[in-house]
Structures are given as C-alpha cells and as structure tokens.
Amino acid sequence: MEGQQRRGPSSRRYMRRKRRDMMHVQVCLVLGVLGITWGVSALTDVSRLHLESFPGASLDQSQRRKLLAVANGTLEINCTEPAIHQFPTDVFSNSQRRQGAVVLHIVAAMYMFFALAIVCDDYFVVSLEKICEKLSLTEDVAGATFMATGSSAPELFASIIGVFITHGDVGVGTIVGSAVFNILCIVGVCSLFAGQVVHLTKYAVFRDSFCYTLSVLALMAFIYDGRIMWWESLVLVFMYVGYILVMKFNSSIQRFFTRGGSVKAITNGNAAFNPDDYSFHGDGNDPTKRLLPEGPANKMTSGEEGNHEQALNSPFRIPGSPLEIFKWLVSWPILFLLFLTLPDVNQPRWEKYYLVSFFGSTVWIAVFSYVMVWMVTVVGFTLGIPDVIMGITFLAAGTSVPDCMASLLVARQGQGDMAVSNSLGSNVFDILIGLGVPWSIQTLAVSMGSQVLINSRGLFYSVVLLLGSVTLAVLGIHVNGWRLDTRLGVYVLLLYVIFLTISILIEYNVFTFINLPMCLEG
C-alpha cells in the first residue's frame, strides 16, 4: 500500500530491547496501580459498607463468612462465591497469606506479566509477522488482525479464562480496565515522558476514537441486562470485521475527509518508521529537543546489534553490564523454557517453522495467562478485593504496561499518531474480539443458545465511565491544540485515578446497592 511498509527486524529488536531496559519502570507502574486499589479499598471499610445493608449484618465474624437467608422456603445466597475456588488449592492458608505470604503471589503475578511480554515479543508476534508475509496481507489489514492479536493476547486469554474457567467477571473487568488504562494512562505517560511536544493528526485520533466509541456503546447495550445472548456476541465480532474494512480502505477514507491532503502511514499503531535510524540530542527534559539522524559514531552496527539481540533472548549468552546481567538472571527461567520448546524464527534455519512457533507460543500464552489470573485472584481474595476490581486495576495494568512502553518509545520518536493509535486500536480489538470471540464460542459452540452471565452490575457503570473517559480524553486533546505535552499528561492521569476510585467505590456499593459482597472465609 502506498507510503507503507512493514516494520523491519531492526525496528522490532529496538522495541524489545528498550522495553526490557525499562522493566523497573513497568514494575513500579503496576505496583502503583495495585497500591491505589488496595488503598481505596481499605478506605471504604469493606465489611461495614457491605454488610450493613444485608440480612445478618449483626452476625459475628464466623457467621459472616457466608451469609444465607431462608425466604419463603427457598435458599437465598447473600454473597458472591469468589473465583478462587475455581483454581487449585493454594499451598498457603488465607491466614498465612495475610501474614505475608501474599507477597509471593504478587511476585508470581508480576513474573507472569514479564513472561507474557517475553513470549509475545520474541515468539508470538514474530511468528504472526511471518504469517502476514506468507499471506501477503497489506499493512492495514495485518495491523488490524494478526498484529492486534499479538499485542492484545494477554487480555484475550484473560477473557477466555473468565468465561470458561472462573465463570466470573475477571476477564470482562480486565478488558474494561485495560481499555481505560490504554486511553488515559498510556496517553498520559507519553505526554509526560516523550521529552518533547508531540503533535497529533486530527484524522487519526478521530478515526480510532470513533470506532472505539461505537465498540463501547455496543458493549454498554449488551451488558445492561446482565446477560450476553448469542447474537450479541456475533454483533461484536462482525463489528470488528467492519473495523478491518475501515483499515483496509484507510488511505482512501483519509483522502476523502482531508480533501485530497497527504496521507500519513498510520494504521492501528503500525507506522512506517525505523527508530534505529534516529537518536535524541540535548537534555531529555528539554521540550525543544528534536529527532535527528544518528551519526555513524553512535549507531550500533548490524553485527553488534545481532550480538545484543542474541544476548537479549538467549539463555546461554551472558550480557556485559551488571544491570543487564541482573535482568538476564531474572528472565533466565523463561528464556530457557522457551528456548527448549519453541523455534526462534528470527534465525534463518528455523524460519520455516513459524507455524510451530505460533501454536507453541499460543500454548505458553494460555499457560502464563492461567497462572497470572490464578495469582491475581488469590491476591484479591486475600486482600478482600473483589475479582472484578482486580481485573479492572491490577490485571489490566499488568497486561497493558508493555503496550504503554511501546507507545512511549514511538512518542519519543515524535510519532504521536502511532502512540495514540496503538492504544485506541488495542481497545477496539479487546472489546470486539477479546469479549466477542469467547462469548460466541460459549453461546454457539460449547452450549448452543446459552447465555453468558455478567455477575457484577457495577461493570455497566464502569463501561459508562469508560465512555466518559474517551470523551474527556479526546476533548482534552482538542482543547490542548492536538498536542501531547505535560499539561495534557497531568490531566489524563488524573482522570485515570478518578476512574479507578469511582469504579472501586461503585463495586463496594458506596453510592447505592449494586452487588452482593464477596463471600468471606477465615
């Protein structure tokens, strides 16, 4: 397609290398979201807010563990069964976890976030690129289909686990929370840390925000009654087919709306650029810093880059600096496991086995996602935080942070449209495919004509807040002159904190009765 090319191996290596270099930033960001969640949850005084409105509010602690009421001869359950019972029994008791063992589960969940990033970056996405090449897909269609799957695989599998294993709302919560994280937190981080004022194209923001808004409106309409019918799940999937067509004819549509103006190569976060050809000169906090071609003296040679790449994903090559050695040691179990089980299609001799790498990495993504959701569920149960809140906050942040770092990297290259398009395009995929496909499988294949139940009524209000977040974000971008800068960054990050706070308070019935409390145990 005119003006477009697929990102080359050097660009992909650059993104992986830089995201690994910022591993400590990702950890701090995810733990920060967990801290906000735990803090707000503690301030709500969960037991008082939950139980004062229910039969048995005067019962002692042992009786409150599972409230049951008999009305008109029928047994009524006055609490929600926690999803922890859908997973294997934990080696620690709840009291042991409360005394400190829960830290191990938090570390395990964080490690699964890291493992998912490695398998997606080094194997899954690479194999998808090979598939796109074999199918001769245009950049638009490839970006909206296979490459979108690569960036949103953790959210997709979290949704699958929520539908078929936990039978709860952790998957929906993850996707809703991930959508808000993408539009607010990613834009905020890019605005604050891009190192320069980044200008946006009105058409690119309008196109993606319009498609995203339609997706959110459809989700609001379908979850309003608390159940998903088979035809509703199919509507979501077919809406994504329409989104693919929009991306297919993106250049023609852009020419029409811009009245024959220039067409930028921006498609679902995949733009034609090579970050290895550029570097930044001047102070990193100077907003006047500009993107300049990198000189031969600073540019890494192809041989040096190849050696660095091998050290990055090889369990047998020890890197040079102490910090890189530490990161290599942390990732060594994952690197070794993947090295033994998956062919590295970056290597010419293994390139023909891209389908083996694709299916094998899919299995590992499923395994890592299962352990991730399991650990997060245990953490939430131990801290008294409902599953849907853990999905909206901790899980959403953990699965979205790699996208956040990728968007930041391209924003630092001055590619503001690509950074924003990456976040909004991921949201469209998460809602229409991440929810539509598991729901379709359940209602059409596993149990024909069945329904998928939405347990948390608070999710509907969270989706309403989701719609409000994109509206306020785009309005803020417009008022700010279509620029990513410090002022916009502070604004959208404040909106993100407000969203988290209100969503948590809604789930805890602070404003009005929405949900039954989670059943407690000793």
Side-chain angles (χ1 to χ4, degrees), residues 264-315:
K264 296 185 67 175
I266 303 294
T267 58
N268 195 33
N270 295 300
F273 82 110
N274 188 346
D276 284 319
D277 292 337
Y278 297 89
S279 67
F280 289 100
H281 297 267
D283 180 70
N285 297 319
D286 183 1
T288 63
K289 185 175 69 171
R290 291 292 180 263
L291 187 65
L292 298 175
E294 188 167 6
N298 297 326
K299 187 175 179 67
M300 185 182 294
T301 66
S302 59
E304 292 171 339
E305 188 178 68
N307 291 335
H308 190 104
E309 174 69 10
Q310 291 181 22
L312 183 69
N313 59 13
S314 171

Side-chain angles (χ1 to χ4, degrees), residues 340-415:
L340 290 179
T341 56
L342 298 177
D344 183 3
V345 296
N346 279 311
Q347 306 298 325
R349 62 173 178 166
W350 298 111
E351 186 174 359
K352 62 182 178 180
Y353 298 105
Y354 62 92
L355 286 179
V356 175
S357 181
F358 168 73
F359 289 110
S361 57
T362 301
V363 172
W364 279 120
I365 291 173
V367 172
F368 293 153
S369 298
Y370 179 85
V371 177
M372 173 188 70
V373 176
W374 178 17
M375 292 297 101
V376 170
T377 301
V378 173
V379 171
F381 181 79
T382 304
L383 301 180
I385 303 174
D387 302 324
V388 64
I389 294 180
M390 290 300 290
I392 289 176
T393 57
F394 189 52
L395 261 179
T399 55
S400 300
V401 158
D403 277 344
C404 181
M405 296 299 103
S407 293
L408 175 59
L409 289 172
V410 298
R412 292 183 66 87
Q413 303 288 342
Q415 299 282 340

